Amino acid sequence: MKLLPDRVRRPILSLYERRVLNDLDPAGFPHHVAIICDGNRRWAREAGFEDVSHGHRVGAQRIADMLGWCADLGIGTVTIYLLSIENLSRKSDELDALMEIVPDIVDEIARPTGNWQVRIVGTLDPLPEDVAERLRRASERTTDHGGMNVNVAVGYGGRQEIVDAVQALLRERAAAGDSVDEIIGAVTVEAIDRNLYTGGQPDPDLVIRTSGEQRLSGFLLWQSAYSEIWFTDAYWPEFRRVDFLRALRDFSARTRRFGK
């Protein structure tokens, strides 16, 4: 099939984007959107780049775009899956590139012009100390920002988050001098929820995953129990605003039952 030239395709896409936007009712928007930004490496390979880190760099710009789209639509919380625990086992050359790109991304989205507060969710212990410190400083620079809450999942594992939450709860109750039976009784859904990395924030209403993969890959396992999940074949670097609007339109058309 012959593709239309850009000078023709762009106006058509812009018109379609406005149509999708007009179909949306802000009252039906999700309060919390979580994104698995997948497909950076595959996009780079298929685009002919030998260095797959180029895909991560292009994907980094898409993250900044995405936050702008969410802020413009009044979405309150966004969680971005940036670097998993498993990613840390990648071959050294790619991992070295990620250790440069990840703090660059967080520095970029923590700029004073961003109307959001950045929070690192995950464990920074396995990261090089200079990388971990850059991430901490970037988050601290946004402490007084208003607007959206932006969670950046770095060194993140969903199972580990649940383990950490339970251990934190047990330490708290043991320090209070509770008996074994009292400690056991204190392990409730609400107590674990308070001790998660995202404690105090709403669970994601909508989880988006790019690149055609249809799994959560350990992302927000506890919090996404009743999330709506939207998959797209687009690789993350080519994810467009119109794709995001289509995800919102699909979300607003679903009936959420929360297990009932």
Side-chain angles (χ1 to χ4, degrees):
M1 181 183 294
K2 185 176 180 180
L3 293 177
L4 294 171
D6 283 350
R7 62 183 175 82
V8 177
R9 189 167 66 248
R10 286 176 182 170
I12 294 174
L13 181 62
S14 179
L15 181 63
Y16 176 61
E17 184 177 296
R18 288 198 298 272
R19 180 178 176 180
V20 175
L21 185 58
N22 289 335
D23 287 343
L24 293 174
D25 178 3
F29 284 176
H31 300 290
H32 181 174
V33 175
I35 309 117
I36 303 174
C37 310
D38 195 25
N40 292 323
R41 293 184 296 173
R42 277 171 285 169
W43 176 86
R45 292 191 189 103
E46 292 182 17
F49 294 98
E50 293 184 7
D51 182 359
V52 295
S53 68
H54 185 73
H56 294 300
R57 295 189 185 280
V58 175
Q61 179 56 51
R62 187 62 67 232
I63 289 171
D65 294 340
M66 178 77 181
L67 293 180
W69 303 336
C70 290
D72 289 344
L73 294 174
I75 291 170
T77 302
V78 179
T79 300
I80 303 162
Y81 202 4
L82 197 56
L83 185 73
S84 70
I85 289 288
E86 291 76 17
N87 291 157
L88 298 177
S89 63
R90 288 183 177 175
K91 58 184 182 180
S92 59
D93 56 344
E94 185 180 353
L95 187 57
D96 289 344
L98 285 171
M99 290 301 100
E100 293 180 6
I101 295 167
V102 167
D104 284 349
I105 294 171
V106 180
D107 276 336
E108 175 66 23
I109 65 178
R111 294 174 64 184
T113 52
N115 187 30
W116 44 71
Q117 186 175 116
V118 177
R119 179 176 179 177
I120 306 298
V121 294
T123 176
L124 300 182
D125 294 342
L127 303 183
E129 182 53 37
D130 60 325
V131 173
E133 185 57 27
R134 279 187 65 186
L135 296 174
R136 293 188 194 100
R137 288 200 306 266
S139 175
E140 290 167 359
R141 289 198 299 272
T142 69
T143 301
D144 297 327
H145 289 194
M148 286 191 311
N149 295 309
V150 176
N151 301 314
V152 182
V154 177
Y156 179 87
R159 290 178 175 177
Q160 189 60 50
E161 178 180 22
I162 296 169
V163 169
D164 288 348
V166 173
Q167 289 181 347
L169 172 61
L170 297 181
R171 282 194 296 269
E172 174 190 332
R173 303 317 308 167
D178 287 359
S179 68
V180 171
D181 286 342
E182 288 172 328
I183 290 174
I184 292 171
V187 181
T188 64
V189 169
E190 294 75 19
I192 292 174
D193 195 70
R194 286 196 305 271
N195 284 279
L196 294 170
Y197 302 150
T198 58
Q201 298 183 0
D203 290 340
D205 303 293
L206 173 64
V207 178
I208 296 172
R209 179 166 189 158
T210 59
S211 87
E213 303 293 348
Q214 298 190 14
R215 58 180 182 273
L216 288 177
S217 296
F219 186 45
L220 301 179
L221 293 178
W222 180 281
Q223 299 93 324
S224 63
Y226 295 109
S227 301
E228 299 297 322
I229 304 177
W230 191 82
F231 300 109
T232 176
D233 289 335
Y235 295 140
W236 177 248
E238 60 191 14
F239 188 74
R240 305 162 300 177
R241 184 171 183 263
V242 70
D243 298 314
F244 179 54
L245 295 176
R246 287 174 55 234
L248 296 185
R249 183 177 63 181
D250 187 71
F251 170 83
S252 65
R254 299 184 187 184
T255 301
R256 303 189 69 195
R257 302 186 184 277
F258 298 96
K260 297 178 183 178

